[in-house]
Amino acid sequence: MTRQQTLHEINTSLSLRPPQAESLQKLATALETAPAMNQTGERDLNGILASLQAQFPTLEDFEREFPSLCFALATGVGKTRLMGAFITYLHQAYGINNFFVLAPNLTIYNKLIADFTPNTPKYVFKGIHHFVFQPPEIITGENYDYRAAQVQSSLLSPVTINIFNIAKINSEVRGGKEPRIKRIKEVLGDSYFNYLATLPDLVLLMDESHRYRASAGVRSINELKPLFGLELTATPFVETSRGPVPFKNVVMDYPLARAMADGFVKEPAVVTQRGFNAADHTPEEVERTKLEDGIRLHEITKVELITYARENGVPVVKPFMLVIARDTTHAAQLLDTVQTLFEGRYQGKAIQVDSSKSGAEEEEMITRLLAVESVNEPTEIVIHVNMLKEGWDVTNLYTIVPLRAANARTLIEQSIGRGLRLPYGKRTGNDAVDRLNIVAHDRFQEIIDEANKGDSPIRLQRIILDAPTADDKKISIEIPSNVGVIIDDTNYFKIQRLAENAATIPTHEPLFKTEAERTTARVVAEVAANYAANRDFVPTSTALLKADVQQAIAAEVRERLTPQQGTLFTADHAANLAAIVAKTTTVMVQQTIDIPRILVNPTGEVETGFHPFKLDVSGLHLQPGDRELVGQMLRTHEQFHLKAAAGKQEERLEDYVVFALLDYDDIDYFSQKEILYDLAGQMVQHLRSYLSEDEAHNVLNKDRKLIAREIHAQMLKHFWEKASGFEVQVSRGFTPLKSCNFTANANQPPRSYRETVTETGKIKQLLFGGFERCLYPLQKFDSDTERRFAVLLERDAQKWFKPAKGQFQIYYKLGTEQPEYVPDFVAETDDAILMVETKAKTDMEAPDVQAKADAARRWCSHASDYAGEQGTKAWRYLLIPHDEVKEDRKLTDFLRFTSR
């Protein structure tokens, strides 16, 4: 295997991120450019440096007595995994077997040992087949005394990784003493240090090297005379009394700003209260306010994470809040305060982490701290002074409350350095899951200003936490197709009432004038729809206009009418029945697009609903609050708000939840009222278990949408769908258009579809009408792109509509699930029927989009085959990028997006 092939295999096996892969490539390039790096004995350091400088312009000097290269990667990108990649490559490509890894402190030392140990969660060689049966031997500062005697044993792996804590070595060399590693061991006849120094292939890896670059311990380490050194750090400079001094041996620089832009870490945001003035409060009041608001953010984030996990089938992440104290005394006071907030809800859920602990208390503290990522570990608040520095690489830190005086730059760097790692290894697109909140009421503007400086480690962006603005009371409405409106005045007047304040929106008028005619027409429509199942007799909707079909429909209608109604259609009135059948079927043909029932879908009507279940509320402990929080993203300057008491107060607590749940398209109030109020009741009961009635109103009012989203995610696990089986042939030549179930604001009339929507983010809440060619009187759009496409369809299509769930019954494969695909539009033109999906340009190649497209293409192919047999129009599937939807286009211009 060539070295380039080795690089490729390591990249693939370890799933390296681009900056990690680039770093590994630069190491390979360095060794190819300067082969003397890998040679023992006397070497020309200046010659090696000159060779490398041609490849790496940022390399000025090794700054050591041996070649040493620095890889500066931002916190959270994965430096430890990169060390594993370095070791794997050096062993496989160059046969190097001995490595010496330096850690700056006890925390990182213990973490490195864990990460280099097989069968641990973050094992750095996971995926490397070479090390499956013979993993590297790990020798540490604790076990080298007895492992030293076995170091040359043939039973050991050919790869040996020594992991030592430089802080301990530094303490041992004080006063000119020799470090313990240099002391002679009888079993070796020499010191372990001298043994390492004689190895011909020792490579030194220095984690967080900026912490100990000039220490006495490192000067003694120089005597190991390694082949070369590899330094890893997020901050490639040393702090001195004259300011930061940059490293001169950096060959790879991937700063925090790039990591944020590339989505490898969380986005930091600074949070304050709207209009907060620290001068109006005592220091104690400021401190308590920041703690309370930090907990509010923490609880909201907890719900967001639980809901995200349920919606996406991923493990739940338990967030925690970090409080930075001034000193150990202050930390103890904060621990007492935190455990009394919100009626003691955090009793036993907060820990103090600092040097004041010893013995059993220290052991318990470290145990809880190391387990803080576990969802089964109760800690939700960590209070510390200075112990948590580099190496504490948890992924579930989401809220930081700094209560220690520090300049803004230090506060930014230290705070974000602890919480930037992403729990799922990548951005999710959910703001709450991807954001780190720094609560800094009294330092908000100072931090913003510092973040915006040209030399800031990040480009801070503003974010303001907005609580969802409560809409007016919602109603659930059923919108029938035009057929239902034209033949039934009940539907007609319902639509008219919705549009009474929107005079520009026309509605089809009822076709029949008397109640007897309307009753008969409803029966005719029902009977005619049933004839679709008789494919031989009625292969398409047009067949409903044939004389023999209409005679059969009339005969069945006459039988189904009650005796009292039947007397209306005696011999004297037979012509009236025939006329009603003719008019009704004509409307049905004109106001539909034939949608065949295809073999790839379930047969018969599909009914859906949710099974009753016990709501899991264990992770929901939202707290009341009357203050509005304002947040600003430090890099992108976007703002967000978290506003309390934003909406109308409901009389019943359950109504907050039910009305918020009605925003989901798969929830219908009339058919699911019982389970909705059952779940809402469970939530209210939970809130009452730790809140007063007024506090429960407060939480439900300000967090209703967050609560509804969590409940809906749980409901999906209990979703049921009834079908009689699966078809193997086309069972129906056409299917009646289903009614659409929408939720809408009770006091907001429909808009004209031509009306420009200024607040496009709210378009999903709006109803639109005024159509002439749409097969429904009212429609909802998921985006303004859809509204603009409807404008094109009104102009260029013969007829069109947005299908309701269950209309097509097209299912696609996505992981272990088989969700239903509901296309955006169906439109009939002069020579074809189009199934259309509009999608953001950046999402066109997304796996779920392509899976839907594959299922839609197959359906259209089957439908076209059937249409060919009947001499009707073929189907085409169009997948259109959103930026192509412009009103100056013709519908035919989009045929080039036919998905094949």
Side-chain angles (χ1 to χ4, degrees):
M1 183 184 296
T2 67
R3 288 170 180 164
Q4 199 59 41
Q5 289 173 327
T6 300
L7 278 176
H8 177 74
E9 184 180 86
I10 294 171
N11 281 335
T12 303
S13 299
L14 293 180
S15 301
L16 295 183
R17 293 171 166 177
Q20 294 170 320
E22 184 181 350
S23 298
L24 183 60
Q25 179 62 63
K26 289 194 172 185
L27 172 61
T29 300
L31 290 168
E32 293 282 352
T33 303
M37 282 181 63
N38 193 32
Q39 294 174 2
T40 57
E42 294 295 324
R43 293 179 292 181
D44 180 6
L45 286 186
N46 290 331
I48 295 174
L49 179 63
S51 299
L52 292 174
Q53 284 176 327
Q55 283 289 338
F56 307 106
T58 57
L59 178 62
E60 300 178 40
D61 191 83
F62 292 138
E63 300 187 286
R64 302 196 183 277
E65 298 172 10
F66 50 84
S68 186
L69 305 178
C70 176
F71 297 81
L73 273 70
T75 297
V77 172
K79 293 187 288 295
T80 308
R81 194 165 188 80
L82 179 58
M83 276 196 279
F86 282 167
I87 290 170
T88 304
Y89 178 73
L90 292 172
H91 172 63
Q92 293 186 351
Y94 289 92
I96 295 175
N97 294 330
N98 293 285
F99 301 89
F100 193 93
V101 180
L102 273 179
N105 54 40
L106 182 62
T107 303
I108 294 184
Y109 172 68
N110 289 330
K111 179 186 76 69
L112 286 173
I113 292 173
D115 291 349
F116 278 95
T117 301
N119 302 317
T120 53
K122 299 180 182 179
Y123 183 47
V124 297
F125 298 118
K126 188 180 297 182
I128 299 297
H129 302 299
H130 186 83
F131 291 144
V132 170
F133 299 107
Q134 200 172 29
E137 177 70 20
I138 307 301
I139 297 179
T140 71
E142 281 68 48
N143 69 15
Y144 76 91
D145 279 350
Y146 59 86
R147 293 300 291 154
Q150 306 171 27
V151 132
Q152 296 176 336
S153 170
S154 60
L155 295 177
L156 290 178
S157 164
V159 175
T160 302
I161 301 173
N162 301 272
I163 304 176
F164 281 80
N165 178 8
I166 191 64
K168 189 169 185 180
I169 294 177
N170 284 338
S171 67
E172 293 171 350
V173 299
R174 288 172 186 158
K177 298 179 183 178
E178 289 287 327
R180 194 165 65 92
I181 192 175
K182 280 192 172 185
R183 297 168 194 168
I184 295 177
K185 298 295 175 186
E186 293 182 4
V187 292
L188 282 178
D190 203 345
S191 70
Y192 187 60
F193 186 93
N194 287 343
Y195 162 75
L196 293 174
T198 62
L199 294 173
D201 62 347
L202 187 66
V203 171
L204 181 62
L205 292 97
M206 293 162 273
D207 194 14
E208 305 292 356
S209 61
H210 64 283
R211 284 291 175 187
Y212 49 85
R213 232 173 181 244
S215 68
V218 170
R219 286 195 294 273
S220 69
I221 293 297
N222 284 336
E223 297 174 23
L224 285 173
K225 297 180 181 178
L227 284 175
F228 51 86
L230 303 175
E231 302 182 39
L232 296 101
T233 181
T235 50
F237 53 83
V238 176
E239 291 287 357
T240 69
S241 58
R242 299 183 304 276
V245 177
F247 286 10
K248 296 181 179 180
N249 63 340
V250 176
V251 295
M252 173 67 184
D253 187 17
Y254 189 78
L256 187 54
R258 281 187 61 191
M260 289 181 184
D262 291 345
F264 292 131
V265 295
K266 294 176 190 151
E267 285 280 5
V270 60
V271 180
T272 186
Q273 276 186 34
R274 171 72 68 187
F276 186 86
N277 185 356
D280 296 337
H281 305 271
T282 66
E284 292 76 17
E285 289 173 340
V286 172
E287 188 172 276
R288 188 178 182 89
T289 298
K290 290 171 69 174
L291 286 172
E292 290 176 346
D293 287 344
I295 290 174
R296 285 176 57 202
L297 278 170
H298 164 71
E299 290 296 344
I300 289 172
T301 302
K302 189 196 302 184
V303 177
E304 291 278 7
L305 286 165
I306 291 172
T307 303
Y308 175 81
R310 287 192 170 117
E311 289 177 339
N312 294 276
V314 294
V316 173
V317 172
K318 180 205 73 177
F320 75 95
M321 182 174 90
L322 176 65
V323 181
I324 305 173
R326 293 189 299 272
D327 50 43
T328 56
T329 301
H330 185 220
Q333 294 170 350
L334 290 172
L335 180 62
D336 291 339
T337 300
V338 161
Q339 295 191 114
T340 62
L341 292 176
F342 299 107
E343 299 183 352
R345 209 196 78 72
Y346 297 93
Q347 187 77 32
K349 296 185 178 182
I351 59 171
Q352 178 184 348
V353 181
D354 55 45
S355 57
S356 65
K357 301 291 188 295
S358 61
E361 283 188 335
E362 181 183 26
E363 185 175 337
E364 180 188 1
M365 172 191 75
I366 292 175
T367 300
R368 290 184 65 178
L369 182 63
L370 293 177
V372 76
E373 285 183 292
S374 170
V375 293
N376 299 317
E377 207 285 322
T379 301
E380 294 187 39
I381 300 174
V382 174
I383 303 169
H384 91 99
V385 181
N386 282 318
M387 285 187 67
L388 306 182
K389 295 183 179 179
E390 290 87 0
W392 194 56
D393 58 350
V394 292
T395 62
N396 59 329
L397 174 55
Y398 274 90
T399 306
I400 298 177
V401 183
L403 299 177
R404 182 180 63 208
N407 65 55
R409 186 183 186 91
T410 301
L411 199 153
I412 292 170
E413 292 174 351
Q414 292 184 355
S415 295
I416 64 177
R418 304 286 66 77
L420 286 183
R421 290 175 176 82
L422 290 162
Y424 298 109
K426 61 181 180 180
R427 295 260 180 88
T428 65
N430 182 305
D431 291 342
V433 177
D434 298 336
R435 184 176 63 231
L436 170 67
N437 297 304
I438 306 168
V439 180
H441 294 18
D442 47 342
R443 311 292 294 279
F444 182 81
Q445 191 57 51
E446 184 183 348
I447 293 175
I448 294 296
D449 292 342
E450 178 63 36
N452 288 330
K453 289 182 179 179
D455 64 346
S456 171
I458 54 177
R459 301 300 298 180
L460 292 181
Q461 51 182 29
R462 274 164 240 172
I463 302 175
I464 298 174
L465 294 169
D466 272 319
T469 302
D471 295 320
D472 295 332
K473 185 176 180 179
K474 295 292 183 66
I475 57 172
S476 179
I477 56 174
E478 181 180 5
I479 305 297
S481 70
N482 290 343
V483 173
V485 175
I486 293 172
I487 68 173
D488 191 338
D489 67 338
T490 304
N491 291 323
Y492 169 77
F493 289 116
K494 179 174 67 174
I495 303 301
Q496 279 293 301
R497 284 193 297 272
L498 285 171
E500 62 185 353
N501 295 320
T504 60
I505 298 179
T507 303
H508 292 281
E509 292 189 5
L511 185 62
F512 301 105
K513 305 305 179 184
T514 68
E515 181 58 33
E517 289 177 329
R518 287 190 290 271
T519 300
T520 304
R522 285 193 287 268
V523 177
V524 169
E526 184 179 344
V527 171
N530 290 337
Y531 269 88
N534 189 345
R535 208 188 71 183
D536 293 333
F537 190 40
V538 185
T540 66
S541 64
T542 306
L544 294 173
L545 303 180
K546 294 167 60 177
D548 57 340
V549 173
Q550 293 198 357
Q551 289 172 7
I553 293 173
E556 187 169 337
V557 169
R558 187 178 290 108
E559 290 180 5
R560 291 180 58 173
L561 288 172
T562 63
Q564 291 79 10
Q565 293 167 324
T567 58
L568 296 172
F569 302 104
T570 59
D572 294 337
H573 299 93
N576 288 344
L577 174 57
I580 292 173
V581 170
K583 289 180 180 180
T584 302
T585 52
T586 298
V587 169
M588 293 179 68
V589 172
Q590 292 175 344
Q591 296 292 329
T592 194
I593 294 175
D594 282 4
I595 300 173
R597 184 65 54 81
I598 305 295
L599 74 164
V600 293
N601 296 318
T603 59
E605 287 293 320
V606 175
E607 299 177 11
T608 61
F610 301 93
H611 294 295
F613 65 96
K614 184 177 180 181
L615 199 62
D616 181 2
V617 295
S618 58
L620 280 75
H621 289 91
L622 295 165
Q623 301 296 344
D626 297 321
R627 301 177 292 266
E628 178 183 359
L629 297 184
V630 180
Q632 178 163 316
M633 301 303 284
L634 293 180
R635 183 178 66 88
T636 62
H637 309 297
E638 295 174 4
Q639 291 192 340
F640 58 89
H641 302 271
L642 184 63
K643 190 183 303 179
K648 171 181 172 290
Q649 182 160 313
E650 303 292 347
E651 292 185 11
R652 295 179 59 192
L653 291 175
E654 291 82 359
D655 287 344
Y656 291 109
V657 179
V658 172
F659 293 153
L661 283 170
L662 292 179
D663 279 335
Y664 292 93
D665 290 337
D666 57 351
I667 292 180
D668 173 57
Y669 178 81
F670 297 105
S671 62
Q672 298 161 2
K673 177 180 178 180
E674 184 175 346
I675 189 173
L676 293 178
Y677 273 99
D678 174 61
L679 296 173
Q682 293 183 51
M683 175 56 65
V684 168
Q685 183 180 5
H686 168 66
L687 293 176
R688 282 174 170 158
S689 70
Y690 71 94
L691 297 174
S692 68
E693 196 75 3
D694 288 342
E695 288 174 332
H697 270 288
N698 179 284
V699 168
L700 286 166
N701 196 356
K702 71 183 179 66
D703 294 322
R704 66 181 75 187
K705 289 193 175 181
L706 183 64
I707 292 170
R709 182 165 162 255
E710 164 60 14
I711 293 175
H712 183 254
Q714 294 190 43
M715 290 175 70
L716 294 178
K717 302 292 184 182
H718 303 275
F719 178 76
W720 58 262
E721 198 170 52
K722 293 180 180 177
S724 58
F726 291 92
E727 298 175 312
V728 294
Q729 294 180 343
V730 177
S731 61
R732 293 171 178 258
F734 67 97
T735 51
L737 298 186
K738 289 178 170 288
S739 294
C740 297
N741 291 290
F742 297 138
T743 56
N745 294 336
N747 300 318
Q748 187 169 3
R751 296 188 180 199
S752 169
Y753 73 96
R754 294 187 180 277
E755 182 179 342
T756 301
V757 178
T758 54
E759 294 183 88
T760 55
K762 295 183 178 180
I763 196 168
K764 292 183 180 182
Q765 304 173 18
L766 305 176
L767 281 174
F768 292 87
F771 308 111
E772 295 181 356
R773 303 187 182 188
C774 182
L775 299 182
Y776 288 84
L778 298 174
Q779 293 275 228
K780 263 194 170 185
F781 300 119
D782 288 332
S783 67
D784 198 50
T785 298
E786 289 189 4
R787 182 193 65 81
R788 286 185 279 112
F789 195 76
V791 173
L792 295 173
L793 293 176
E794 278 290 297
R795 187 186 65 205
D796 294 344
Q798 291 182 351
K799 43 190 170 181
W800 66 275
F801 69 100
K802 284 179 64 63
K805 183 180 175 67
Q807 184 69 67
F808 279 87
Q809 298 182 19
I810 299 175
Y811 297 87
Y812 64 99
K813 183 75 171 174
L814 190 64
T816 59
E817 302 294 324
Q818 284 190 307
E820 180 183 354
Y821 169 52
V822 181
D824 288 341
F825 297 95
V826 174
E828 184 170 346
T829 66
D830 292 340
D831 53 7
I833 300 176
L834 309 178
M835 181 185 292
V836 182
E837 182 79 17
T838 58
K839 217 65 182 172
K841 186 176 183 180
T842 55
D843 294 337
M844 293 287 283
E845 299 302 322
D848 63 325
V849 173
Q850 289 301 313
K852 293 174 183 177
D854 287 342
R857 281 192 294 266
R858 287 193 296 271
W859 190 96
C860 287
S861 175
H862 291 297
S864 294
D865 290 342
Y866 181 74
E869 296 173 6
Q870 304 302 323
T872 55
K873 299 173 184 177
W875 284 74
R876 303 178 70 165
Y877 180 68
L878 309 184
L879 182 57
I880 304 173
H882 79 285
D883 57 348
E884 294 286 344
V885 179
K886 301 174 183 177
E887 291 189 32
D888 61 345
R889 304 286 173 85
K890 293 182 178 180
L891 189 55
T892 53
D893 294 337
F894 297 102
L895 295 179
R896 61 193 175 96
F897 294 108
T898 299
S899 184
R900 302 186 185 281

